[in-house]
Amino acid sequence: MRTNERADADGNRLFKKSVVAVYETETFSSLLKDVLHPGGLKLTRRAFEAAQIDKHCTVLDIACGKGESIFLLAKEFGCRGVGMDLSFPKIAQATTEAKEQNFSAGSSFLVSDAEALPFADAVFDVVLSECSFSVLPVKRQAASEIARVLKPGGRLVITDIVLETGSGGSMPDNAAADTGPTLPCIAGAVSVAEYIEIFRESGFCDAYVEDHSKELKKIGYQMALSFGGWKGFLQVLSSELRCASPKEGTEDFCYTEPNRKAAASGKPGYALIRVTKP
Ligand SMILES: C[S@@+](CC[C@H](N)C(=O)[O-])C[C@H]1O[C@@H](n2cnc3c(N)ncnc32)[C@H](O)[C@@H]1O
């Protein structure tokens, strides 16, 4: 590895560490509890329907957090699920919960990076990603890894923050256009068209899209109630991050995101996107 490649790799590793730290905070959990995406498990059910899941499917949840979607899959669809996330504490919690709820036979969890999946080719029927593609710095790499591990005919379903170019943005404050700190999922969001292009370049076809922006709006209202709004939420989050790692500067999470400039040009909405591996 050349020196500048090593510097890039170190920067990427530090960036990912700071992203993971944001979603491990008490502040973030207090807003969304155990399910860290707009729409909660109701939207997860919709994602499973869109993925045409049945009990014979094997499902991978990319950046699964505490594994709630995998537990839903086991309880309501009776199929096997694997959850992976870069956060050690989250995967430890999911593994403990799986044991306690007797899901260990059909559900497993591991710590891994979404951009380098530790699985053989063509082993999953469905890959799910909820509010996590937006936080990945090299989305094309993750998309081609997902295409590799899906079987032919397999489906990728994401629900995520998307940038809207029109006036239909959903956060009460224009969260993406502000120049100050923001969340990685806002800073790293791209438009629906860009997502579809990334997936098409990775070999996926038959894009299907649903708008769920009203779910993001509900989170905006929750932020207003609990923190006095978007800026109040970010202030509390930043001070928690500063206290947790004063030397590492994780409170700077917002400034390191490569897509920040793009984020400033559009308002955020929330969408479900399904694509198929031919
Ligand atoms: C907004 S949370 C969503 C979690 C979960 N999908 C849910 O809906 O509850 C984003 C998640 O992405 C994880 N994450 C961030 N970067 C990652 C990466 N490079 N690889 C795997 N997971 C990552 C974080 O640890 C966090 O759990």
Side-chain angles (χ1 to χ4, degrees):
M1 196 186 272
R2 290 195 312 253
T3 314
N4 57 349
E5 284 176 348
R6 194 174 299 120
D8 281 356
D10 285 349
N12 201 11
R13 190 178 51 76
L14 279 175
F15 171 73
K16 287 178 180 172
K17 198 175 160 195
S18 72
V19 168
V20 166
V22 169
Y23 298 104
E24 286 174 353
T25 56
E26 283 296 318
T27 310
F28 208 87
S29 302
S30 73
L31 184 71
L32 292 180
K33 310 290 177 257
D34 288 337
V35 182
L36 299 183
H37 63 261
L41 290 180
K42 191 168 161 228
L43 187 54
T44 301
R45 273 189 200 94
R46 175 65 208 131
F48 286 152
E49 275 169 27
Q52 294 147 351
I53 281 182
D54 63 38
K55 64 179 181 190
H56 304 293
C57 288
T58 302
V59 179
L60 172 65
D61 185 1
I62 297 274
C64 64
K66 291 183 190 166
E68 295 296 330
S69 300
I70 292 288
F71 299 139
L72 180 81
L73 191 69
K75 271 189 255 184
E76 294 186 11
F77 295 80
C79 54
R80 197 180 138 59
V82 180
M84 48 109 348
D85 197 287
L86 206 47
S87 163
F88 282 88
K90 284 204 168 69
I91 290 299
Q93 274 174 290
T95 306
T96 306
E97 182 79 9
K99 276 192 197 125
E100 283 173 7
Q101 293 204 35
N102 281 329
F103 287 142
S104 304
S107 313
S108 51
F109 296 94
L110 74 158
V111 176
S112 177
D113 186 341
E115 292 172 4
L117 298 176
F119 306 107
D121 297 355
V123 285
F124 294 102
D125 300 286
V126 169
V127 173
L128 174 73
S129 160
E130 296 172 291
C131 207
S132 56
F133 237 93
S134 51
V135 309
L136 302 176
V138 192
K139 293 176 175 49
R140 279 180 174 74
Q141 173 67 22
S144 71
E145 276 291 86
I146 292 168
R148 180 181 68 72
V149 302
L150 271 173
K151 298 174 186 171
R155 283 83 62 201
L156 163 64
V157 178
I158 75 165
T159 71
D160 219 319
I161 310 269
V162 290
L163 294 183
E164 297 176 353
T165 46
S167 56
S170 306
M171 297 288 270
D173 304 345
N174 189 0
D178 274 353
T179 49
T182 192
L183 287 173
C185 53
I186 302 274
V190 299
S191 67
V192 168
E194 283 171 275
Y195 268 124
I196 291 174
E197 182 57 17
I198 289 168
F199 297 143
R200 198 192 57 74
E201 282 175 6
S202 301
F204 288 101
C205 63
D206 295 339
Y208 165 81
V209 181
E210 286 175 11
D211 179 33
H212 291 276
S213 298
K214 64 179 186 314
E215 302 300 342
L216 195 58
K217 201 164 196 164
K218 287 183 195 162
I219 292 182
Y221 293 140
Q222 273 170 252
M223 271 182 192
L225 278 176
S226 309
F227 297 92
W230 167 249
K231 287 193 177 136
F233 171 75
L234 288 175
Q235 268 165 10
V236 178
L237 181 68
S238 294
S239 42
E240 184 182 345
L241 288 166
R242 247 192 319 271
C243 290
S245 313
K247 288 193 191 133
E248 295 187 11
T250 42
E251 76 275 19
D252 289 338
F253 57 88
C254 49
Y255 297 109
T256 49
E257 170 56 52
N259 291 327
R260 180 75 187 121
K261 202 163 160 251
S265 65
K267 292 181 177 183
Y270 204 75
L272 178 154
I273 304 173
R274 182 191 66 209
V275 287
T276 303
K277 176 172 168 174

